[in-house]
Amino acid sequence: AQKVTQAQTEISVVEKEDVTLDCVYETRDTTYYLFWYKQPPSGELVFLIRRNSFDEQNEISGRYSWNFQKSTSSFNFTITASQVVDSAVYFCALSDDYGGSQGNLIFGKGTKLSVKP
Amino acid sequence: SQTIHQWPATLVQPVGSPLSLECTVEGTSNPNLYWYRQAAGRGLQLLFYSVGIGQISSEVPQNLSASRPQDRQFILSSKKLLLSDSGFYLCAWSQTGSGPVGELFFGEGSRLTVL
């Protein structure tokens, strides 16, 4: 069975601190995709990144970075020098569906990040 | 550019009443369409998806139904709401095509409270 676990329910940091959001996944498939989505207070989810199971290179995008480690089935997300605008709920998701229901993502329960000034 | 809208944004309904949430997408054709539900303290759960007009797939058994009367319109309905139907409902779309996509574009959400 596929599963995504985000053990951190809530995290609170002070602005400019670095913060890492953990994500651990389970799947039996060798081909799969991992995602991070951001849900700001306005409600709509915003796509951040997609990673396929064959690409373990870490990725950096501005203050955001992602660490994908197949050996530990983890796909962690780090925000460097956090800002108040980073406050949101962050979801990690897994897709092992190729074709068909392409939006059938399996989401974790989310981590609520609060960045205080 | 593509946009997605859903309404109403907020809804308070008594148990046993009907429900209709609407979602429309602009700026693209033949999108895949999805209804997700986000219950308090839980992740997002896929309820329905559609790959074309009149084609609806249900992921979980429930008293909700979905319809796609037009290419870019997706409707979530219920004949009789239950308390457990309360939650935040999100409509989303993605590009069609082979292979996994995963890049979903979400609407603003509809918060449903059933009393």
Side-chain angles (χ1 to χ4, degrees):
Chain A
Q2 297 76 39
K3 185 179 179 182
V4 175
T5 301
Q6 295 179 256
Q8 304 150 308
T9 305
E10 293 192 39
I11 300 176
S12 182
V13 299
V14 177
E15 208 169 19
K16 297 185 182 178
E17 286 185 15
D18 297 347
V19 58
T20 295
L21 309 181
D22 297 333
C23 173
V24 174
Y25 63 92
E26 297 176 27
T27 180
R28 293 181 180 177
D29 283 350
T30 55
T31 301
Y32 53 89
Y33 283 67
L34 295 164
F35 309 84
W36 276 96
Y37 278 82
K38 174 182 180 180
Q39 185 179 38
S42 54
E44 80 281 9
L45 274 80
V46 178
F47 169 85
L48 295 179
I49 189 173
R50 173 180 54 238
R51 212 77 180 134
N52 73 55
S53 53
F54 298 108
D55 184 0
E56 286 193 74
Q57 281 193 341
N58 291 332
E59 183 159 338
I60 298 175
S61 176
R63 296 184 296 107
Y64 294 173
S65 62
W66 291 269
N67 183 1
F68 176 27
Q69 292 195 349
K70 288 181 75 171
S71 61
T72 56
S73 297
S74 64
F75 187 43
N76 296 339
F77 173 28
T78 297
I79 301 175
T80 303
S82 60
Q83 300 176 2
V84 173
V85 293
D86 295 327
S87 297
V89 180
Y90 290 86
F91 290 94
C92 181
L94 165 71
S95 170
D96 56 4
D97 190 30
Y98 202 91
S101 173
Q102 298 167 359
N104 192 2
L105 303 182
I106 298 158
F107 284 87
K109 294 186 179 181
T111 297
K112 182 177 181 180
L113 174 64
S114 298
V115 181
K116 303 185 186 307
Chain B
S1 63
Q2 301 89 2
T3 58
I4 178 170
H5 297 290
Q6 62 177 107
W7 67 95
T10 305
L11 200 58
V12 180
Q13 293 285 100
V15 170
S17 64
L19 170 74
S20 180
L21 300 179
E22 293 193 35
C23 171
T24 59
V25 180
E26 299 293 336
T28 188
S29 60
N30 196 29
N32 291 333
L33 296 172
Y34 312 88
W35 278 110
Y36 278 86
R37 177 170 59 198
Q38 183 179 15
R42 302 172 68 176
L44 284 84
Q45 180 184 39
L46 178 65
L47 301 176
F48 300 96
Y49 70 92
S50 172
V51 298
I53 297 175
Q55 301 178 60
I56 309 295
S57 296
S58 174
E59 292 296 305
V60 293
Q62 59 216 322
N63 69 322
L64 299 171
S65 62
S67 61
R68 184 170 178 174
Q70 300 180 40
D71 181 45
R72 291 169 292 177
Q73 183 184 24
F74 207 24
I75 298 172
L76 183 68
S77 305
S78 174
K79 292 182 179 179
K80 290 185 177 182
L81 284 169
L82 306 172
L83 286 175
S84 57
D85 291 325
S86 293
F88 191 54
Y89 290 81
L90 287 153
C91 181
W93 72 275
S94 69
Q95 300 280 5
T96 54
S98 61
V101 177
E103 183 170 354
L104 304 179
F105 301 91
F106 284 85
E108 310 94 329
S110 298
R111 187 164 302 282
L112 170 66
T113 303
V114 182
L115 302 175

